[in-house]
Amino acid sequence: MRREGERPFGGPGRLGPHFNFEKVEIKDPWGTLRKLFKYMKKFKWGFIFVFILTFISSILGIVGPYLIGKGIDTYIIPKRFDGFLSFLLVLGGIYLLLSFLGWIQGYVMLKTTQNLVYEMRRDFFGKIHRLPIKFFDLRSYGDIISRITNDIDNISMVLSNSVIQFFSSITTLIGIIFMMLRISIPMTIVSLITIPLTIWLTNFISHRTRNYFYANQTLLGKLNGLIEEDISGLKVIKIFNREEKEIKRFEALNEELTQVGIRAQVFSGSIGPLMNLLNNLSFAIIAGFGGYFAFKRMISIGDITIFINYSRQFTRPINELANQYNMIQSAIASAERIFEVLEEEEEKEDPNIMEIKDIKGEVEFKNVWFSYVKGNPVIKNVSFYVKEGKVIALVGPTGAGKTTIASLVARFYDVDEGQILIDGIDIRRMKRKDIRSYLGIVLQDTLLFSTSIKENIRYGRLDATDEEVIEAAKLAHAHDFIIKLPQGYDTILSEDGGGLSQGQRQLIAIARAILANPKILILDEATSNVDTMTEKYIQNAMLNLMKGRTSFVIAHRLSTIRNADMILVVYNGEIIERGTHEQLIRKKGFYYNLYMSQFAEELE
């Protein structure tokens, strides 16, 4: 359940304190590959061109050893040098062309892959902005950032390097087997003795590395989440002297990530030595049988040389296939994490959607029920009506549901039961974009962007002139401190308004809302972070701003909402009292006790 005062987007979610990577598995590797191929199809001509070059390169790589073997039988053994120079030139030309084709295919593949991951990154970022806010409530921001950076970079690296080698290895294997069969079927059978063992080892190891690579990417996302949380909350950490505690949290998670990484790399790295062992075994078998067949004059020395070269070429693509297969497992793990987000259900709009050109600002709740977690309602059968241009105040203890009611008006969430109406129209029949275009919201937690103060205020209305920006800042009583800054309105803010006080950041957010000139205002503890004198200035500005606009004011300082047209007292998700300040005071109920407790504190 969301606590009162939290931002509507919710806090970052958390994985458990100890991550059990043994249980993490890729859910659907083949399905993930199919989805990845859909992206690759968009750039099919680049991939096709690379595959053609790779095929030609593989053929040339197979022809080279064959010519060397035949050159030995034709020129070296009979000591015949007529035409030998031409033979060397042809052989040199083949290998030069092979190198040139390798550079071309690398360049084209790199460009194609970068275009592919550009589109994937764009789709991912666009998807984030189309997802409902509830998606982010229980997810770590760091994990989401890790997916769009680390996971997509991993896919890019594997596609750039492994796909070419994988295709080249398969083509080379087929070509080598074909050439070996043409030369000697018995020697080919001898050369293939170790293949079943190689395939079994590759399958045995790859199954384990795939799961470890997925666990590695998941833990990396969790580590990013912890880092993001600690950096953003560094002041709180220092205030409570919790540096050592946070370092220990990091070390524990870092240790888990290290152990997963070691296991992934140990299994992945074992492929090479094991393949070398099998290669040497294969080479010894070929040499032994080749010597015997040569002694029996069943095969020439040149053909034995061809087989030895082919055996080395044969084991090289097998090694590459094994290694690249493990890298591809890593890319599949990353791709699955990307597609998990891309396939999340987006915010839905009612099929009978209405085009809203303008609104008056009437708001009505009819028997509204809402829960963040199914079966645990935080808003229970809430009903009220606000006439256009009126001010409604929401008061009550922390966690009562005040911010949730305001979030429902903004349609950050949809109700479970009941209706919310604006001008008599169910907001589920309105586009979220239309609703929010008529809203002005000032939250308790102020978000400012890493740009100038002027552009931060202009975020409320992008087509506003500089004069309108300055006027909004004056109404919010932000102008005086802004012009004292080194570059005034052109001062560039660091991340989240660093360098300004919390109260100054709040004033800029209020100026932004003023500039938006909304029909409905939501002020969630909008003056909670300013001093008493500044609060009075802002209250006067807000009174002018709220004239003619429907306003929802959430406040713990009850003195700030005495003039509201209606006060709703929210307790445990229900409205337990309603009326004007004077009516509620005369009633001497919950509001009276709440107000008098604050009044008593102020007297003290």
Side-chain angles (χ1 to χ4, degrees):
M1 183 187 301
R2 185 190 306 283
R3 296 185 301 274
E4 192 70 14
E6 287 185 349
R7 43 191 176 174
F9 285 87
R14 295 285 169 261
L15 296 175
H18 297 288
F19 184 76
N20 188 356
F21 53 80
E22 296 285 357
K23 294 182 180 179
V24 176
E25 294 187 7
I26 300 177
K27 301 177 185 70
D28 185 12
W30 291 109
T32 301
L33 276 175
R34 284 194 296 271
K35 296 164 194 170
L36 193 56
F37 284 145
K38 288 182 180 178
Y39 270 94
M40 295 175 70
K41 281 176 66 177
K42 299 177 183 179
F43 306 94
K44 60 182 179 182
W45 295 115
F47 285 109
I48 289 172
F49 181 69
V50 168
F51 289 156
I52 290 172
L53 292 183
T54 303
F55 180 77
I56 294 171
S57 298
S58 299
I59 297 300
L60 292 176
I62 294 169
V63 169
Y66 179 80
L67 292 179
I68 291 173
K70 292 304 177 184
I72 291 172
D73 286 341
T74 304
Y75 298 105
I76 305 299
I77 293 177
K79 297 181 179 181
R80 180 180 147 210
F81 297 101
D82 182 29
F84 185 59
L85 181 60
S86 299
F87 168 77
L88 292 177
L89 289 173
V90 171
L91 193 63
I94 287 174
Y95 283 107
L96 281 174
L97 180 60
L98 196 60
S99 299
F100 177 72
L101 291 178
W103 180 83
I104 291 292
Q105 70 187 28
Y107 171 78
V108 174
M109 189 64 178
L110 183 64
K111 186 175 180 180
T112 303
T113 300
Q114 288 303 310
N115 287 331
L116 184 149
V117 296
Y118 163 82
E119 184 158 323
M120 184 176 285
R121 194 178 291 116
R122 183 194 64 189
D123 290 349
F124 190 98
F125 192 74
K127 180 73 175 188
I128 287 173
H129 289 80
R130 295 191 300 272
L131 288 173
I133 289 174
K134 65 181 180 181
F135 171 83
F136 302 92
D137 285 346
L138 298 175
R139 286 174 173 81
S140 163
Y141 296 160
D143 179 65
I144 295 172
I145 293 169
S146 180
R147 293 183 192 227
I148 199 172
T149 53
N150 297 332
D151 285 312
I152 289 183
D153 282 347
N154 189 38
I155 293 170
S156 172
M157 181 188 68
V158 172
L159 286 178
S160 298
N161 300 315
S162 300
V163 171
I164 290 178
Q165 292 185 13
F166 196 83
F167 182 72
S168 174
S169 298
I170 292 175
T171 307
T172 301
L173 275 176
I174 294 172
I176 286 174
I177 292 173
F178 174 75
M179 295 297 290
M180 290 168 75
L181 287 171
R182 283 193 60 192
I183 297 169
S184 171
I185 293 177
M187 282 293 292
T188 302
I189 294 172
V190 169
S191 302
L192 300 179
I193 287 175
T194 58
I195 297 302
L197 184 58
T198 301
I199 294 172
W200 180 82
L201 274 174
T202 301
N203 184 63
F204 176 80
I205 293 173
S206 63
H207 175 72
R208 282 150 182 80
T209 54
R210 180 170 63 220
N211 296 334
Y212 284 123
F213 277 128
Y214 186 84
N216 187 80
Q217 294 303 117
T218 303
L219 273 171
L220 188 59
K222 185 182 177 185
L223 187 69
N224 283 339
L226 189 148
I227 293 170
E228 186 266 344
E229 180 185 66
D230 273 34
I231 291 174
S232 62
L234 198 58
K235 289 181 181 178
V236 176
I237 292 169
K238 288 184 177 295
I239 286 170
F240 290 97
N241 293 318
R242 294 293 181 265
E243 293 92 338
E244 289 299 321
K245 178 180 179 296
E246 293 305 313
I247 290 171
K248 287 178 180 178
R249 283 179 66 202
F250 178 85
E251 287 178 350
L253 186 55
N254 196 26
E255 174 66 21
E256 290 185 69
L257 180 60
T258 301
Q259 292 303 318
V260 173
I262 289 172
R263 296 192 185 196
Q265 294 303 324
V266 164
F267 273 95
S268 178
S270 64
I271 283 284
L274 288 173
M275 291 301 106
N276 285 332
L277 176 64
L278 294 176
N279 293 346
N280 293 332
L281 178 62
S282 177
F283 180 78
I285 293 172
I286 291 171
F289 276 91
Y292 175 77
F293 289 152
F295 182 76
K296 293 289 187 179
R297 299 185 181 278
M298 295 171 60
I299 192 170
S300 69
I301 299 297
D303 285 342
I304 293 175
T305 304
I306 293 173
F307 261 91
I308 289 174
N309 276 314
Y310 276 160
S311 70
R312 290 182 175 179
Q313 274 197 309
F314 187 75
T315 52
R316 180 182 60 80
I318 290 178
N319 291 347
E320 287 181 353
L321 279 172
N323 289 325
Q324 297 312 315
Y325 188 69
N326 283 319
M327 293 302 297
I328 289 171
Q329 299 305 309
S330 171
I332 292 173
S334 291
E336 182 162 283
R337 283 166 49 80
I338 295 297
F339 291 125
E340 279 178 2
V341 176
L342 290 178
E343 292 176 348
E344 282 287 335
E345 187 175 356
E346 298 182 8
E347 287 185 323
K348 291 182 178 179
E349 300 285 11
D350 192 294
N352 300 316
I353 207 79
M354 296 182 65
E355 291 290 336
I356 305 298
K357 300 297 182 182
D358 196 9
I359 65 170
K360 295 183 294 183
E362 290 182 355
V363 179
E364 183 177 6
F365 274 53
K366 282 188 174 181
N367 307 113
V368 170
W369 289 76
F370 172 74
S371 57
Y372 293 107
V373 180
K374 192 172 182 180
N376 189 15
V378 294
I379 299 297
K380 306 167 185 174
N381 200 30
V382 167
S383 298
F384 62 85
Y385 171 76
V386 187
K387 193 175 180 181
E388 61 178 289
K390 298 298 182 181
V391 178
I392 182 170
L394 300 170
V395 302
T398 299
K402 304 184 298 295
T403 296
T404 300
I405 290 174
S407 297
L408 292 173
V409 174
R411 210 181 165 196
F412 289 143
Y413 306 91
D414 281 332
V415 301
D416 298 336
E417 296 180 34
Q419 289 180 302
I420 299 175
L421 309 173
I422 293 180
D423 293 354
I425 303 170
D426 192 320
I427 61 173
R428 286 172 293 190
R429 296 185 59 200
M430 300 179 180
K431 291 182 180 178
R432 291 178 177 84
K433 187 175 181 180
D434 289 344
I435 296 171
R436 292 164 191 169
S437 67
Y438 298 113
L439 288 178
I441 302 177
V442 180
L443 301 172
Q444 185 177 13
D445 295 323
T446 303
L447 175 65
L448 299 179
F449 298 95
S450 300
T451 183
S452 68
I453 290 178
K454 183 192 298 179
E455 293 306 315
N456 266 285
I457 296 174
R458 186 176 277 129
Y459 203 79
R461 182 159 55 87
L462 298 179
D463 61 351
T465 64
D466 289 353
E467 291 74 18
E468 289 173 320
V469 169
I470 294 170
E471 183 60 29
K474 288 179 178 178
L475 286 172
H477 293 273
H479 178 74
D480 290 343
F481 85 80
I482 293 174
I483 60 175
K484 293 177 183 177
L485 295 172
Q487 284 80 41
Y489 282 86
D490 293 318
T491 300
I492 302 297
L493 300 178
S494 59
E495 186 176 355
D496 203 18
L500 298 179
S501 70
Q502 185 68 27
Q504 289 172 329
R505 294 201 292 268
Q506 197 81 347
L507 292 174
I508 291 174
I510 291 169
R512 179 195 294 165
I514 291 172
L515 186 65
N517 194 25
K519 293 294 181 69
I520 299 175
L521 274 173
I522 296 176
L523 307 173
D524 188 351
E525 295 288 351
T527 61
S528 60
N529 295 310
V530 297
D531 58 82
T532 306
M533 183 175 292
T534 305
E535 182 182 22
K536 290 180 179 178
Y537 289 133
I538 293 175
Q539 284 180 20
N540 293 330
M542 287 300 177
L543 287 174
N544 292 328
L545 177 64
M546 289 188 289
K547 285 179 181 177
R549 295 180 175 86
T550 307
S551 303
F552 289 83
V553 182
I554 300 171
H556 284 106
R557 296 182 190 174
L558 301 185
S559 58
T560 63
I561 48 90
R562 290 185 61 172
N563 297 321
D565 295 298
M566 180 168 62
I567 298 172
L568 299 180
V569 182
V570 186
Y571 183 79
N572 196 26
E574 299 178 86
I575 296 176
I576 58 172
E577 293 178 3
R578 68 183 73 201
T580 63
H581 171 75
E582 290 76 14
Q583 290 170 342
L584 293 175
I585 289 294
R586 288 196 300 269
K587 189 176 181 181
K588 292 190 176 183
F590 188 93
Y591 178 83
Y592 172 83
N593 293 328
L594 195 63
Y595 183 82
M596 293 307 294
S597 66
Q598 288 192 12
F599 183 72
E601 289 174 3
E602 289 173 8
L603 287 179
E604 291 176 4

